[in-house]
Each structure stands twice: as structure tokens, then as C-alpha cells.
Amino acid sequence: MGMDNARDLARQFAAVLYDVGFTTVVPVKSYELLERSLLSGDVHAAWGPPMVCARLEGAGAEIALSAVRNGSTSYRSALICRAHDDLSIAEIGQRGLRRLRAVWVDEHSMGGCVLARHHLRAQGIDLATAFESEKMLGSYKACFEAVMDCDADITASYANARGLGYVEICGGHAYHLRTLAYTAECQNDGVVISPTVKDTRDIKARFASLLENPGHRAIFCEALNVDDLTTPAPGAYRNLLPLMK
């Protein structure tokens, strides 16, 4: 959900991570800092969004676990705007029409930025022409509120088998927003091991021990908003890197 809930989630699963031998469990303030911490080896393993997993796997890291939500290991993004705005995808970036103010979660967020921008580029839209401004607000909630408050015109929501993120987060206010388009799918979040860890067997064994304990597994999955965890195929995340271009 972005950094708003990071500390609460960390408190919930820290105890079970300590129990299997991890010595420090901390939240980080941004995906960029998370990536830097993994690359430097300051953090040995982390729960990361797909793009961080992709960039780290491209740098030689191993993705130990992948999230399963509603029976699926993937999700997509939905471009959204205000419900009363007559905006359409075909109009975005057209000469003579208004330029939009876009807000995104984070430049590394697949559901909140990357997939949406890639979808628009794939439609032949020049983003530099289409957008008057693009801002990173740090959470889905902040992005949805910016559009509803008319401080922005367009943003992105995650969309999975469970439903649309803006409906889940905005609740009764969701009717103020509407979906413009759906993007292609990508892998869910995952547990990535730092590429500085040359022998990953010990860390993977710790996670395996955690997941073998039904109580620990339930807490871990609840804290990370997943139904289950599975082992992804090698390269599954690295294949997402072209979306960043």
C-alpha cells in the first residue's frame, strides 16, 4: 500500500522473523532506498515490489519467494480518473487537448506507476507531451485523494483477482473515481535476497522454517497481505526490466 503502512506491517511480522534467526527487521522509506540497501548488502533479504525484484534479479540477486493472492501470482494496473471527467485514453496526448497532471505512487511501483506509463507508451502516447506534471506521492491512498480533490487528473491503481485497489482503499468514496484502462500483468511482490549474499541456502532455510510453522506462516501472510507464498521460476522478475525503458 506504500510507506503509510510499512511500520505497522513490520511490527506484525518482525517477531516471527526474529524467531527464525534474523537479527534486525526494519521498514524503509522508499523503494529506492530498499534497492540501494539490498545492492550494498546493508539488508540481506527484503519484501520488495516487482520492479525492485526485477532490478535486483538483473543484478544477480535471487528471488526466494513470490506472493500468491486469490490463487494468482500476478496482477495488473488500472489507469483511473475522476468519475465525472469525460477523459478517454484516445484523447490523452492529442494535440490541442489539455495536458494532464499525473500522480504516481513511486517510480519503482509496478501497479502505481510503471505498468500504467508503459501502457500509455504502448498506445503511442508521448508522455512528455501528454502530462503537464508527474509527481510521486508515496502511497496509493495519497494518489487517489489527489485525483478526487482535483489536485491531479490521472493516477494508477493495482488490480487483481480480489478487485480494484481504489475500491478497496477508498471504500464508500470510490464512486468518485472510474477506470480508464487496464494494463498487462506482472508478477506479485516477492522476497528478494541481496546479490552480496553468495550462498543463499541459509536465508532460504530460515524462510522455509518460518513457513513450515502454521502459526508463523499465518502471521507472515497476513502482515504482507498475501494468501500464500511460492517459489518463482528463475528470471520471472528480470523479464519485467524492459517495462522501465
Side-chain angles (χ1 to χ4, degrees):
M1 300 298 190
M3 61 187 177
D4 286 353
N5 296 322
R7 291 187 182 277
D8 290 337
L9 291 174
R11 291 189 186 98
Q12 292 180 56
F13 63 65
V16 296
L17 289 169
Y18 291 141
D19 198 49
V20 295
F22 289 100
T23 58
T24 306
V25 182
V26 295
V28 294
K29 294 182 178 180
S30 70
Y31 294 147
E32 182 180 5
L33 179 58
L34 177 64
E35 184 176 330
R36 289 206 309 266
S37 299
L38 284 161
L39 285 171
S40 68
D42 290 339
V43 168
H44 294 132
W47 180 250
M51 189 47 63
V52 169
C53 290
R55 292 166 72 98
L56 267 293
E57 190 173 33
E62 184 174 350
I63 313 302
L65 297 167
S66 183
V68 178
R69 294 187 176 100
N70 288 84
S72 177
T73 57
S74 65
Y75 70 103
R76 64 182 65 197
S77 178
L79 280 149
I80 62 173
C81 66
R82 282 181 296 282
H84 63 263
D85 195 329
D86 61 0
L87 179 68
S88 69
I89 290 293
E91 294 173 338
I92 297 176
Q94 292 297 309
R95 188 183 300 277
L97 297 180
R98 63 176 170 137
R99 299 176 71 198
L100 304 175
R101 299 162 299 163
V103 288
W104 312 116
V105 174
D106 184 285
E107 64 179 349
H108 291 82
S109 170
M110 293 297 291
C113 179
V114 177
L115 286 173
R117 296 181 87 253
H118 175 73
H119 179 81
L120 292 172
R121 289 196 305 270
Q123 305 303 308
I125 296 170
D126 180 353
L127 302 188
T129 301
F131 295 139
E132 175 185 319
S133 63
E134 293 186 80
K135 296 180 180 179
M136 305 295 166
L137 301 188
S139 73
Y140 283 108
K141 183 173 183 289
C143 290
F144 301 153
E145 289 177 349
V147 174
M148 288 190 289
D149 292 342
C150 297
D151 293 326
D153 303 305
I154 192 170
T155 189
S157 167
Y158 64 89
N160 54 35
R162 191 177 304 171
L164 287 159
Y166 74 86
V167 175
E168 180 180 8
I169 293 173
C170 297
H173 297 288
Y175 72 91
H176 290 296
L177 302 170
R178 69 177 176 89
T179 301
L180 284 167
Y182 290 96
T183 73
E185 294 190 349
C186 77
Q187 282 74 27
N188 288 333
D189 306 334
V191 172
V192 55
I193 300 176
S194 167
T196 65
V197 178
K198 301 307 179 185
D199 187 344
T200 62
R201 288 177 294 181
D202 176 63
I203 288 180
K204 289 191 293 184
R206 292 171 193 261
F207 283 114
S209 173
L210 186 160
L211 296 175
E212 286 170 0
N213 181 313
H216 285 180
R217 189 185 193 107
I219 292 170
F220 194 71
C221 289
E222 180 182 2
L224 297 175
N225 192 32
V226 304
D227 301 323
D228 205 353
L229 294 146
T230 188
T231 302
Y237 287 87
R238 186 171 59 243
N239 292 336
L240 299 174
L241 289 173
L243 301 184
M244 290 290 288
K245 294 182 180 178

